[in-house]
Amino acid sequence: DILDGYLARRFNQKSEWGRIYDHISDVLSGSSLVIALWVAGDIPPWFMVLALVRFLLPILGGGWLYVSVVAWRIEPSIPGKLTILSLCLLAVVLLLPGSLARLEVTRTVLIYVCTFALAGNLVYFLRKGLRMMEDAVSSRASGGDGQEGDGQ
């Protein structure tokens, strides 16, 4: 996930479709991963709910912003990439056939690291969305159309 974006920027192969597809693939792969880990009994239900909220909030909130308040662009972010990376690390460790994955302390620490990343990413999305709404209201109040903006 990180490599494809880097290569697209490095070789100037960026596209609107690639930018949107990156976000869609993050949502689908991340949601599938946490559901599979929950079904396998490797993560608690509260963690799965937090992760799904993290993946669905940008889609639902961004869609609402786009339709009702301000034009909204999906942009990759460092908090988003760190969240996906931490979830992948958790999955890899839990799938390892050795004793590391079976250590409760390892599992617990990784779940809390991922929880911190997920919560931080949710705060990032909420702050960005509120800032975009404030900018749109200010723009409309000053006579602009309020339709500019980029978001995650």
Side-chain angles (χ1 to χ4, degrees), residues 85-144:
L85 187 63
S86 68
L87 286 172
C88 289
L89 177 64
L90 173 66
V92 166
V93 169
L94 291 175
L95 294 172
L96 286 175
S99 61
L100 180 64
R102 292 190 188 95
L103 287 174
E104 185 62 28
V105 69
T106 304
R107 182 180 154 284
T108 301
V109 167
L110 284 173
I111 285 175
Y112 283 115
V113 166
C114 288
T115 300
F116 179 75
L118 288 164
N121 204 208
L122 280 170
V123 169
Y124 172 83
F125 285 135
L126 290 171
R127 290 183 68 200
K128 191 156 190 117
L130 289 173
R131 203 168 337 142
M132 289 171 61
M133 288 185 349
E134 289 171 355
D135 291 349
V137 168
S138 295
S139 176
R140 287 182 183 164
S142 66

Side-chain angles (χ1 to χ4, degrees), residues 8-119:
R9 287 185 298 278
R10 173 76 169 90
F11 295 107
N12 199 25
Q13 298 294 313
K14 298 183 290 185
S15 70
E16 186 70 15
W17 167 244
R19 199 171 46 76
I20 293 169
Y21 178 74
D22 179 69
H23 188 68
I24 292 170
S25 69
D26 284 351
V27 168
L28 294 176
S29 61
S31 298
S32 300
L33 178 64
V34 295
I35 290 170
L37 290 173
W38 176 70
V39 168
D42 290 327
I43 60 171
W46 63 264
F47 183 86
M48 181 194 63
V49 169
L50 177 64
L52 292 177
V53 167
R54 178 268 179 242
F55 289 115
L56 294 176
L57 179 68
I59 291 172
L60 299 176
W64 178 79
L65 279 171
Y66 187 83
V67 168
S68 62
V69 180
V70 63
W72 183 75
R73 284 179 50 104
I74 298 171
E75 298 289 341
S77 69
I78 297 298
K81 297 300 179 189
L82 291 175
T83 300
I84 295 295
L85 187 63
S86 68
L87 286 172
C88 289
L89 177 64
L90 173 66
V92 166
V93 169
L94 291 175
L95 294 172
L96 286 175
S99 61
L100 180 64
R102 292 190 188 95
L103 287 174
E104 185 62 28
V105 69
T106 304
R107 182 180 154 284
T108 301
V109 167
L110 284 173
I111 285 175
Y112 283 115
V113 166
C114 288
T115 300
F116 179 75
L118 288 164

